Amino acid sequence: MVTFLPSRAGRLADVPSFDRGIGGAESNVACALAAAGHRTRWVSRVGDDGFGDHLVEAIARYGVDTGCVGRDPHRPTGIYFRTADDRDTDAHEVLYYRAGSAASAMAPHSVDREALDAGRILHLSGITAALSADCLALLRELTAPRPGRPLVSFDVNYRPGLWSAAAGEDPRVLLDLARGADLVFVGEDEAADAWGITGGPDAIRAALPEPATLVVKQGSHGATLHTHGEPAVFQAALKVDVVAPVGAGDAFAAGFLSATLRGLTADRRLRHGHLMAAAALTVPGDLATPPAGEHTDRLAALDADAWGTLRLGPGWTDDVTVTGAPVNTEAKEDART
């Protein structure tokens, strides 16, 4: 979708102008991974209109392969407007205009399955499942076992407003989709709101034993990683001077997937997720330029005490010096605060 970001804080009724951006969970992840140096492809559908042109061109500029994005001559590109406030506050407003959009008409027959299966990881989002019956059918097929399937990553991304409008569907269908994936991202709050599962990461793991890898996001507290045959691993979140609390979930997924592709250890995968999320939290829009790879690796290698005292603010991805932790650019080993 095309995203319209407010030019100032306040109610949508009071905001006089908006800045245009790009939005969409899967494309956000693809852009962040491409900016971090990975080869990515975005498979979707947009309208044969100016907003569709903008999305394809803007996402391609991040280095994402957009050659498998379909253009629908009969349906428009979706758009949405939002305030700058945190989604968890009463002040947050978001207005979606994507009923009947090109993306909502995606179906099993309308996407390039060969392109979807060509990568090492296929990343999907629960948002897509809520858009239409055809989109849900597509997600069911992509999370079903099949020969030659890549590692399937699924971010639950529960949005109550979407599911309240999804006639005849219950958000517990997201639990079924998650069970078919290899790697699942889910927030502790999402599991409670969508499925009524409380009791923390262990309770969520008990309800989702099938995925080989389960990441339970615990907000500003941190994240817990459950992997088959391994003890659970927890990593605390970073202290961040937040500019806009949006896009962090997609950025976390991108950081974790990047570290997974690189074969990093469990604790480093979680830390790379937190660092990518911190990059998104310290910019106004959904997408941020990730820090240089060596910079991220040094921060991810900090000892527990240094990690716990690290604080990141706007501009930290542009400078190797971050609040509380001047990073030695010559160091070949762990960075020290």
Side-chain angles (χ1 to χ4, degrees), residues 42-234:
W42 177 49
V43 179
S44 188
R45 289 181 68 80
V46 298
D48 189 14
D49 51 31
F51 285 149
D53 293 342
H54 168 65
L55 281 176
V56 172
E57 292 166 7
I59 290 170
R61 281 197 293 270
Y62 278 87
V64 177
D65 178 354
T66 58
C68 293
V69 177
R71 305 302 295 265
D72 192 323
H74 307 295
R75 299 176 181 88
T77 302
I79 64 173
Y80 83 105
F81 296 78
R82 67 166 172 82
T83 56
D85 306 284
D86 192 329
R87 282 194 183 96
D88 295 330
T89 68
D90 293 337
H92 180 73
E93 296 175 81
V94 58
L95 293 177
Y96 293 103
Y97 296 92
R98 61 177 168 191
S101 69
S104 70
M106 287 190 297
H109 65 273
S110 68
V111 296
D112 187 334
R113 297 293 289 273
E114 185 176 342
L116 289 173
D117 288 344
R120 291 171 59 190
I121 295 176
L122 171 60
H123 182 69
L124 309 169
S125 165
I127 292 175
T128 303
L131 298 183
S132 68
D134 283 340
C135 282
L136 177 56
L138 173 62
L139 268 286
R140 289 190 194 279
E141 286 202 12
L142 295 179
T143 54
R146 64 184 187 279
R149 188 183 92 164
L151 185 149
V152 173
S153 166
F154 181 70
D155 192 339
V156 171
N157 256 325
Y158 173 59
R159 297 288 183 267
L162 286 176
W163 286 98
S164 64
E169 293 295 344
D170 186 288
R172 288 192 68 85
V173 73
L174 295 172
L175 189 59
D176 297 332
L177 295 173
R179 287 187 172 125
D182 303 298
L183 190 165
V184 173
F185 300 95
V186 62
E188 204 171 25
D189 55 343
E190 291 178 307
D193 294 343
W195 308 327
I197 299 173
T198 58
D202 289 345
I204 297 171
R205 184 50 158 174
L208 263 176
E210 295 88 354
T213 304
L214 172 67
V215 180
V216 179
K217 298 176 288 183
Q218 298 164 267
S220 59
H221 181 53
T224 298
L225 172 62
H226 282 277
T227 306
H228 282 170
E230 301 290 340
V233 176
F234 171 80

